[in-house]
Every structure is written in structure tokens, then in C-alpha cells.
Amino acid sequence: MSQPDLEELAEIELRRDEEKAAALSIARKPLVVPTPGQDPTLSVNHPFYDVARHGILQVAGEDRFGRRVITFSCCRMPPSHELNHRRLLEYLKHTLDQYVESDYTIVYFHYGLNSRNKPSLGWLQSTYKEFDRRYKKNLKALYVVHPTNFIKVLWTVFKPLISHKFGRKVIYFNYLSELREHLKYGQLIVPPEVLRYDEKLRNLHRGQVPAPAKTPPPRPPLPTQQFGVSLQYLKDKNQGELIPPVLRFTVTYLREKGLRTEGLFRRSASVHTIREIQRLYNQGKPVNFDDYGDVHIPAVILKTFLRELPQPLLTFTAYEQILGITSVESSLRVTRCHQILQSLPEHNYAVLSYLMGFLHEVSRESIFNKMNSSNLACVFGLNLIWPSQGASSLSALVPMNLFTELLIEYYEMVFSTQEARGGLGAGAVEAGERSGPVSRGRTPRRPGLAPRASAAPDGARETPLVLEASR
């Protein structure tokens, strides 16, 4: 599984963690930066005062065997743009250097890690590699408190690097009470946010209903609502227009000003800015992306729109069919994609064709933007399809991304209107070679679907059909 796959999955899992925390009525309060007077043990002359002042790392007493305990609290991490992660790594090593000659224990409080303060998985990998045997040898236990699906993603990243011996040191605890058997709990410095979260979890476990949220109850969507509503709702509110306004606006802007931007759709943006733009759209107010000076912002808005649809664009019904794409012979996969799309509702098909046509256009500029069909699939796969219950498993990523890659790479064939072929199976390669590029300005659509504005890339290139089996 590629690094972009895991990065995108990690981002989605963290957002789900935030949603679950919100459902428990737990709001993450803004961090208050301690002043020197608040912590008498911390001096402004500390060599890592810029990192230490957040209280992310604490030395907190001993465990039952007399080993020093060091805690790492994710809820104390500020947003990534406010924290130098290289300095954080140096601070970790500086702190551990004082204890690694003797046995020690680490307690990792996972609650509070979110999409705003998460370091990249690449940074986590390089950090792990920097901790040599001297650090790992005397680490006797790593307690992970309140693990989530994000930890599964981390395990996938680190599994090739972690020895079996070290892996046995990692112990997961769902509740703080489980720590009491191993540590002198009274000596631990547990952030109040973690205590509140643990209490909510324990109440749920006992079957108690958590305290009602302080947010107002759900209301009917605004007439101008754009995010979190169905395609049908958007069509009804926009004079029957099939392509949702947010999708059309972002695609138009990116086509004009972002096609050659390196890392398009790969970069993140300020959560505050994204929420502000969503609010403007939902209130029916105009949005001028030029005002924000960052072409990655409309790219994030587009992905956010897809992710917040009540049902995935590819529909829940198609989920299992899409997962089966890897079992199809490589030379027939484009045919299978074409067949699966025929079962989509016509509205979903129209929107998907519009989007894939644009992404195909983006992929043709990959020499500049570094976003070929494979890279785009890593970004968009999880935003186009997900199961009706629970989260997508790690094993589901491969077929989901492969399916998305096929839609982008072989756009003209998958969305072809030449139904007379009787499918794209035997002889399709030869037909594809003879047919040449899709006619300029023609929109691939199914029979009976009302015409709409062209979604096909201008001057689309001829594409082969057969995929290598190695994919």
C-alpha cells in the first residue's frame, strides 16, 4: 500500500475520530500556552522552551516496577503550522536521553490527535528510524490509551520497521482504569480533556446515555445548502442542474488556474478557511477563490464536498462490486468498470463523468503537477466510495483505488456511449486503437441521459485498454 493511500486514510480516520468525539459532546478546547509562571519547573531558558511550553511530554513518576514513566499527550499538540516537528523530535530525544540508560515506560494518550495537529506519516516513519537500539532496548512498555482506527493505519506504516520483540512491548488500553494495574496511577499527569473523554466512554460502556450535547438539534437544510445534502436536493434547488454548483465552480477554477500546480489535491488547507468557505456556500453567498491566494483551497473544497455527501457518489450498492475489481482479469477490468457504472443512478453517473473527465485532464498535466491517474486515485478513492456501515478496511483500499484509477486513466472508454459494441470485452483493444480520440466537445453518457455541458477533456488522447497484471 502506497504512502499517499495511507496518508489519505489517516486523514479520514482522524476526521471520524473527531466526529465520534463530537457525538460524545466533547469539544476540544483551544490550547492555552503556559507562561513561565504557570509551570515553575519550566524556564524560558530551557533549550526547547518553544516545544516544552505546550506540555506535550511529561515525566510522571514510576510504574509498578520502579521504572520511570514518560507521558505523551496528543491533546496538547497545537496545530501543525504552530509546531516545528523537527524541534519536537529533538525535544523527544533530549528528554529520553536522560532516561534511556535505565528501564523506562511510555504512556501515549491518543485522544486529541486530529487532522489539524497530526504530523505526516512520513515524519512519523523518519522519527521512528532516528530512535536507534539505545532508545528501544530499555523501553519496557509502550501503553497506547484510547486507540482508534488511526492506530491501525500507523501499525500498517510501522509493521515493516518494527521487530517482533519490540511489537510485544506495545499494549493497548481502552480505558484509563486499565493503567492502574501497571502504573502508580496517582502520579500520572493526565490532561483534563483525556479524563473527560474516558468518562464518556465508560458511561457508554455501562449503557448510560451521555449528557446531551450543547449544540442545537439538527435542522432542515437551508434552501441554499451545498454541503451535506443529497444530489437530488441540490438538483431540485438549482433549477434541475445536474452538476452541483460547488463541484462546477471548483472544477472551473482549477481548470483555469490550477492544472499545472504541483501536488494538486495532495495538499491540505486551513480547517478554519475551509469551514468559512463552506459557510459562505451554504448561505448562498459568493466565493472568490482569488481572495484566498491558494489554489489548493478549491481543491480541498472539492474533496470535502464529495466526502460530506450523505451517500457516496459511487453509491453504497456498488461497494461490493468495486471491491471485486482486483479479481477480474487485467485485460477485462475496463469492461467491468463500464458495467458497474451502468447500474448507477443517472444523476450519479452524470456527476461522476463530469468529475472523472476533469481528473483525466489533470492527469494529462502530470509532468507538471506530479499527479498521474494513480496518484489522483489515492486521493479520491476514499472520497468516492465507502461502506454503508463502519469504515473501509485497509484491504479495501487497493481495489477502491484501482477502480478509481481505471476511471481516470481510461475515461473515454469507461464512459463511452458506443453501446453497440456489446461491451468492451473481446476485440475492445483493437476497437480502441482504431477509434482514436473522443470527439472534441462530446460528453460520454448513457442512453436516455439528458445532454449537459461537456465534461470531456479538450483534445483527449487515445488510451489503450489492457492493464498490466502487476496492477
Side-chain angles (χ1 to χ4, degrees):
M1 189 177 301
S2 68
Q3 190 76 15
D5 285 342
L6 294 169
E7 288 281 5
E8 189 69 15
L9 181 60
E11 183 73 17
I12 290 176
E13 291 299 343
L14 283 176
R15 290 188 183 278
R16 286 184 176 133
D17 291 347
E18 292 179 63
E19 292 169 0
K20 289 177 182 177
L24 289 173
S25 311
I26 303 171
R28 186 172 184 268
K29 297 182 178 180
L31 295 176
V32 178
V33 177
T35 62
Q38 288 177 294
D39 185 354
T41 66
L42 182 64
S43 167
V44 292
N45 297 320
H46 190 286
F48 293 95
Y49 177 78
D50 57 318
V51 180
R53 66 197 177 104
H54 296 295
I56 302 168
L57 215 59
Q58 300 282 351
V59 179
E62 301 174 342
D63 64 12
R64 295 293 182 187
F65 301 97
R67 301 180 295 219
R68 182 67 69 185
V69 174
I70 300 169
T71 64
F72 187 103
S73 301
C74 289
C75 65
R76 295 301 187 197
M77 293 178 65
S80 293
H81 68 277
E82 297 178 12
L83 181 65
N84 184 324
H85 289 117
R86 181 67 203 178
R87 289 280 291 169
L88 174 60
L89 171 57
E90 292 171 354
Y91 175 50
L92 285 171
K93 296 177 75 171
H94 169 80
T95 302
L96 293 178
D97 282 344
Q98 303 171 53
Y99 306 104
V100 294
E101 298 304 325
S102 303
D103 293 348
Y104 68 102
T105 295
I106 293 179
V107 178
Y108 169 78
F109 294 118
H110 181 63
Y111 173 74
L113 188 71
N114 55 52
S115 56
R116 298 180 296 277
N117 64 7
K118 174 190 72 68
S120 70
L121 298 187
W123 180 87
L124 293 173
Q125 278 182 310
S126 61
T127 295
Y128 179 81
K129 292 176 182 177
E130 288 208 25
F131 287 104
D132 55 27
R133 185 175 182 276
R134 185 168 67 96
Y135 294 94
K136 300 169 186 175
K137 177 183 177 183
N138 290 329
L139 174 63
K140 298 306 176 184
L142 171 57
Y143 299 130
V144 179
V145 183
H146 301 138
T148 65
N149 280 340
F150 176 78
I151 298 298
K152 296 180 182 178
V153 178
L154 282 188
W155 183 253
T156 302
V157 173
F158 286 102
K159 192 174 182 180
L161 309 175
I162 295 177
S163 67
H164 177 68
K165 183 177 180 181
F166 184 85
R168 288 184 298 174
K169 298 179 181 181
V170 183
I171 303 172
Y172 299 100
F173 293 141
N174 292 320
Y175 305 101
L176 289 172
S177 59
E178 298 173 62
L179 283 172
R180 297 181 186 276
E181 300 177 18
H182 305 271
L183 307 172
K184 297 177 181 177
Y185 185 81
Q187 297 179 355
L188 279 183
I189 301 174
V190 183
E193 299 95 323
V194 175
L195 290 171
R196 289 194 295 269
Y197 180 70
D198 188 75
E199 182 181 2
K200 298 289 184 181
L201 288 180
R202 286 187 288 107
N203 286 341
L204 282 180
H205 181 71
R206 298 190 193 110
Q208 298 179 11
V209 178
K214 295 183 180 179
T215 54
R219 295 176 293 179
L222 296 169
T224 53
Q225 190 90 14
Q226 301 295 315
F227 291 85
V229 292
S230 68
L231 294 178
Q232 185 62 47
Y233 183 89
L234 293 170
K235 177 185 175 183
D236 293 343
K237 298 297 181 181
N238 289 280
Q239 294 78 48
E241 173 61 46
L242 291 177
I243 308 304
V246 171
L247 182 58
R248 188 176 292 282
F249 293 154
T250 52
V251 164
T252 300
Y253 186 89
L254 292 170
R255 179 178 283 124
E256 292 176 356
K257 301 185 178 182
L259 280 183
R260 295 190 172 187
T261 300
E262 185 171 338
L264 187 65
F265 294 113
R266 214 21 111 56
R267 308 286 175 80
S268 59
S270 162
V271 174
H272 174 76
T273 300
I274 298 305
R275 293 288 178 260
E276 175 191 339
I277 293 173
Q278 286 185 280
R279 178 178 56 80
L280 291 174
Y281 270 129
N282 285 337
Q283 293 176 353
K285 296 179 179 179
V287 173
N288 184 353
F289 288 116
D290 286 338
D291 293 342
Y292 298 92
D294 183 358
V295 75
H296 295 290
I297 287 177
V300 174
I301 287 292
L302 191 158
K303 292 191 298 179
T304 302
F305 171 79
L306 295 171
R307 189 163 52 240
E308 293 190 3
L309 286 172
Q311 294 192 32
L313 185 57
L314 283 167
T315 73
F316 293 132
T317 305
Y319 183 76
E320 294 299 331
Q321 298 179 67
I322 290 171
L323 294 192
I325 194 67
T326 50
S327 62
V328 177
E329 183 181 340
S330 60
S331 62
L332 299 176
R333 285 174 178 169
V334 174
T335 303
R336 182 57 182 151
C337 290
H338 182 82
Q339 293 170 345
I340 291 173
L341 296 192
Q342 300 314 297
S343 65
L344 290 181
E346 291 186 345
H347 194 175
N348 293 63
Y349 185 92
V351 174
L352 183 67
S353 178
Y354 180 83
L355 175 62
M356 292 299 109
F358 170 64
L359 295 183
H360 178 76
E361 190 174 350
V362 173
S363 71
R364 294 179 66 198
E365 300 290 346
S366 61
I367 190 172
F368 302 103
N369 58 39
K370 313 301 182 188
M371 296 300 290
N372 57 26
S373 56
S374 177
N375 291 337
L376 288 167
C378 291
V379 173
F380 277 91
L382 286 162
N383 295 312
L384 294 174
I385 184 69
W386 56 85
S388 58
Q389 300 292 330
S392 297
S393 64
L394 292 174
S395 61
L397 277 181
V398 173
M400 288 163 57
N401 290 351
L402 173 60
F403 185 85
T404 306
E405 181 179 352
L406 292 169
L407 299 190
I408 298 171
E409 182 71 16
Y410 302 104
Y411 168 73
E412 297 97 336
M413 289 187 174
V414 174
F415 292 90
S416 171
T417 59
Q418 297 180 18
E419 300 291 324
R421 293 190 213 177
L424 301 174
V429 177
E430 182 182 355
E433 292 173 346
R434 291 197 308 264
S435 63
V438 172
S439 299
R440 190 180 299 268
R442 189 184 74 194
T443 301
R445 64 180 183 273
R446 293 182 302 179
L449 188 63
R452 56 179 174 77
S454 173
D458 196 23
R461 74 181 188 279
E462 179 180 342
T463 54
L465 176 63
V466 180
L467 284 179
E468 295 297 332
S470 60
R471 287 191 180 177

